[in-house]
Amino acid sequence: MPLHDNELARREHGSVAVRTTPVRLRWSLDDLVTSDGHRLRASLSCSVRALNTPAERRMLEETFLMDDYAARIDRVVEHFQAPVRAAISASVANQSAEAWLANGAKNALLDPVQKAATRVAFACGLECIPPFELDLNSPTLEQQRLEAMQREAAERRIATQIEHAQRAGLFIKQFDELQRSSPHLSPSALLQQVGPADQASLLQLLLQGAGKDHDTKTLWAVAGSSLVQIDLKVLLDSNIPATQRTNRSVSHSPLHPALGPLRSIRVGQLDGRPTLYVGARSGIMVCDPNSINNARLYSDPNIPTQLGFSAVVAFDNQYWACHREAGLVAWNHDSTERPAITVRPADLPGRSTSGSSANNSIMFTGAISAPASPFAGARNLTRLSEKRLVFSSGNILCSLETGGVIVPMPADHTSEIIALLPVANQLLVVHEDGLTATHDRETLNRVTQSRPSGKLCAATLLPWLASARLLLATSDGPILCTGLDDPITTQYQSPHRGLRTVVAAPDIIAAVSSDRQRLILWQPWEARQPASDINILPIARHRVADIAVG
């Protein structure tokens, strides 16, 4: 019977069969201690062959076949292990690990190892055949070198941070001096006084400084009939393991279901107290964030719709809300069962251009030069001052004055308005096709217009020092951040495209993904990647309809 691949010899039927061709043996020798206390790991290999004379056959048989029928290769390796280890250990102890790992140094170990292996082979009827191959490495020396590299990298990083901090201090000092010498200039205009090469770095520092001085505690979201509350301090706490932050920071509670699914949320003030204004399918809710179970419900029962109120504001001792199918609706504070005023879409600019609406409390003045989108309803309701609201109806900008006067402004652009953003003495009107128009806040006359991007899904303002920067969620790319008076544009990157809603505070930017399942958050001074990405669908069991910060 032929020998197995793992056998060097075998006793069978009173005779011994021996493999006459060489086989390769390999020894792994760990924890060899060098003169400087490091550990070496050696891998040694050579070939052996059985000698074909009666005397050598007898020595092979006496060594390996007295208590077993076969001399397996692993047993032959084990037989050599101790003498080979002793020979290499004695030599390794004479030099440092670094010396042994130097080019050519390991050759000095081969001679004593080869002599030890040859002596063992001679005593058991075998012959060692070159080449002898030896590989060395030192796990402890590698760890020491890695730690040294990490220390050097840390020292370089600290040095860079110190240099960055010193440079940042110079930038901030320069900016402060500019502010003192030119108090009439906006932050964006002051930014342009710095050298072009330093503007982006200074902007990042200023955003970071403004954000660190602010403390936005909560991000709110509405999904289905639930109000979702996200503790931003916990969510962005780097001391908490990333796998635990979402569970520890996100909570949700159902609101009263009488008004149907929730559509919008805003954070405002009422009598000096924080207040949540929530739009639902057939009405609105007003509640204290600390007592959401006591929300006051204001209904508009006469609107068969699958949509909802997309914005709610307190104005002129009433609650006003806008709706694509219900139009513009107002409730008195003490009357929750039905609205005090309704301006349905058929009565909004584009159908009625002058005279009175179906509700005698509202009067239209002025005329428009282009019709609104068919049945555009009312959107983007925004408080401009104590005496004026503004809203959009398709492509038309309208103002609502105290006393119930609606004034539509001339419409010379056909793209729908997606955002109305008051800042300083201006009102920014952002259109879906990317056109951004600046209007005078008092007269509402258009002053300038630009097109910083292509088609847009959402827009908002990022508060910044005494001014703001414009955030534009593009349909096929990142969120663009542009200055109102400077040419610097930054991009907030993420894997998501077509973000549906964007909100911002000095220390946080948040957006809703195109499928409305996820919330994506950035810190304003770190645009390269999101600080967090939360899947709300498995938490609230519904998609996100709207978000707000405060």
Side-chain angles (χ1 to χ4, degrees):
M1 182 175 180
L3 295 175
H4 295 156
D5 290 343
N6 67 335
E7 294 176 343
L8 189 65
R10 184 195 300 170
R11 184 195 302 277
E12 192 172 50
H13 304 304
S15 63
V16 176
V18 176
R19 186 184 302 276
T20 57
T21 57
V23 295
R24 196 75 179 165
L25 305 184
R26 181 176 296 276
W27 296 271
S28 294
L29 307 166
D30 295 331
D31 293 328
L32 304 172
V33 183
T34 63
S35 63
D36 54 352
H38 280 294
R39 299 293 194 269
L40 281 184
R41 180 181 296 148
S43 177
L44 173 68
S45 63
C46 73
S47 297
V48 296
R49 178 176 58 195
L51 296 173
N52 195 22
T53 66
E56 276 80 14
R57 291 286 183 94
R58 189 165 49 254
M59 287 189 291
L60 176 64
E61 184 178 353
E62 290 174 354
T63 304
F64 296 111
L65 299 176
M66 296 302 292
D67 55 0
D68 201 349
Y69 72 92
R72 284 178 288 274
I73 292 174
D74 57 350
R75 187 180 174 192
V76 177
V77 169
E78 183 182 356
H79 183 74
F80 279 75
Q81 183 85 12
V84 169
R85 181 181 181 85
I88 197 171
S89 293
S91 299
V92 159
N94 295 327
Q95 289 194 103
S96 68
E98 196 157 352
W100 284 119
L101 295 176
N103 289 336
K106 67 181 180 181
N107 292 331
L109 291 174
L110 285 174
D111 184 57
V113 169
Q114 186 172 354
K115 289 179 179 178
T118 299
R119 285 194 298 269
V120 175
F122 179 78
C124 61
L126 298 175
E127 176 187 21
C128 290
I129 302 173
F132 280 78
E133 294 179 348
L134 178 65
D135 292 322
L136 294 176
N137 65 77
S138 174
T140 56
L141 182 59
E142 290 173 5
Q143 179 65 30
Q144 185 183 76
R145 288 173 173 172
L146 177 61
E147 291 172 354
M149 291 172 59
Q150 291 173 336
R151 282 195 301 272
E152 291 174 5
E155 289 168 359
R156 287 195 301 270
R157 186 165 58 250
I158 292 171
T160 300
Q161 290 172 346
I162 293 173
E163 182 182 357
H164 180 74
Q166 291 171 342
R167 193 161 179 254
L170 292 175
F171 279 160
I172 298 298
K173 182 179 179 180
Q174 184 180 3
F175 190 81
D176 290 341
E177 290 173 354
L178 286 171
Q179 281 187 309
R180 284 193 295 270
S181 61
S182 305
H184 59 287
L185 294 179
S186 69
S188 288
L190 287 171
L191 191 61
Q192 294 187 76
Q193 307 301 310
V194 180
D198 294 326
Q199 288 179 1
S201 297
L202 178 56
L203 173 60
Q204 183 181 22
L205 292 170
L206 293 173
L207 287 170
Q208 186 170 9
K212 296 297 186 183
D213 291 337
H214 199 79
D215 184 21
T216 303
K217 294 181 172 58
T218 306
L219 173 66
W220 300 93
V222 285
S225 295
S226 293
L227 179 65
V228 180
Q229 183 176 357
I230 301 170
D231 187 327
L232 293 174
K233 185 175 182 180
V234 173
L235 182 68
L236 302 177
D237 189 345
S238 59
N239 295 317
I240 300 175
T243 55
Q244 300 179 18
R245 291 178 203 165
T246 298
N247 290 338
R248 292 173 61 173
S249 63
V250 180
S251 60
H252 67 101
S253 304
L255 289 181
H256 200 292
L259 301 179
L262 308 179
R263 165 63 181 85
S264 65
I265 183 168
R266 285 190 178 181
V267 180
Q269 293 280 328
L270 183 64
D271 298 329
R273 299 190 306 273
T275 303
L276 298 179
Y277 299 103
V278 179
R281 176 184 292 171
S282 58
I284 67 169
M285 303 183 195
V286 180
C287 62
D288 185 321
N290 299 313
S291 183
I292 61 173
N293 292 327
N294 296 321
R296 289 177 63 84
L297 278 60
Y298 296 82
S299 66
D300 185 1
N302 299 321
I303 49 167
T305 179
Q306 294 299 310
L307 303 177
F309 286 92
S310 59
V312 183
V313 297
F315 175 71
D316 199 18
N317 296 315
Q318 293 176 314
Y319 296 123
W320 285 82
C322 61
H323 192 295
R324 189 176 285 273
E325 293 184 346
L328 200 62
V329 182
W331 292 264
N332 294 328
H333 288 189
D334 58 356
S335 180
T336 61
E337 294 184 359
R338 62 183 60 254
I341 299 172
T342 58
V343 185
R344 299 307 186 193
D347 300 316
L348 285 170
R351 267 68 59 185
S352 299
T353 59
S354 63
S356 64
S357 75
N359 190 305
N360 292 329
S361 300
I362 295 292
M363 291 291 295
F364 290 102
T365 66
I368 56 176
S369 58
S373 303
F375 304 103
R379 295 186 65 196
N380 304 305
L381 185 64
T382 303
R383 181 168 175 157
L384 202 57
S385 69
E386 292 184 358
K387 298 182 179 181
R388 175 185 283 172
L389 296 178
V390 288
F391 66 96
S392 64
S393 180
N395 59 316
I396 300 173
L397 169 65
C398 303
S399 71
L400 171 64
E401 316 290 334
T402 55
V405 178
I406 291 180
V407 183
M409 305 303 296
D412 56 4
H413 194 68
T414 58
S415 178
E416 184 172 7
I417 296 171
I418 64 168
L420 299 176
L421 307 171
V423 56
N425 60 350
Q426 302 173 340
L427 173 67
L428 302 183
V429 180
V430 183
H431 292 262
E432 186 179 31
D433 67 354
L435 181 77
T436 300
T438 302
H439 291 242
D440 182 271
R441 191 160 178 164
E442 290 296 325
T443 66
L444 295 184
N445 292 330
R446 181 177 295 184
V447 179
T448 64
Q449 68 180 43
S450 62
R451 195 183 297 273
S453 75
K455 187 176 180 180
L456 299 174
C457 297
T460 194
L461 290 173
L462 170 63
W464 176 57
L465 300 179
S467 181
R469 301 187 73 77
L470 179 60
L471 295 174
L472 302 171
T474 59
S475 62
D476 57 357
I479 295 178
L480 302 182
C481 179
T482 67
L484 304 182
D485 301 312
D486 66 73
I488 301 174
T489 298
T490 53
Q491 298 183 358
Y492 289 92
Q493 303 284 350
S494 80
H496 302 278
R497 295 293 180 265
L499 298 169
R500 305 290 296 180
T501 304
V502 181
V503 298
D507 55 344
I508 198 71
I509 296 170
V512 179
S513 62
S514 60
D515 60 6
R516 294 194 177 277
Q517 295 187 26
R518 310 187 74 87
L519 297 181
I520 303 94
L521 293 86
W522 296 261
Q523 292 175 309
W525 54 91
E526 182 49 77
R528 291 173 296 180
Q529 61 183 11
S532 185
D533 188 329
I534 308 172
N535 190 352
I536 293 296
L537 185 61
I539 298 173
R541 305 299 181 188
H542 287 280
R543 299 176 190 271
V544 178
D546 196 19
I547 54 176
V549 289

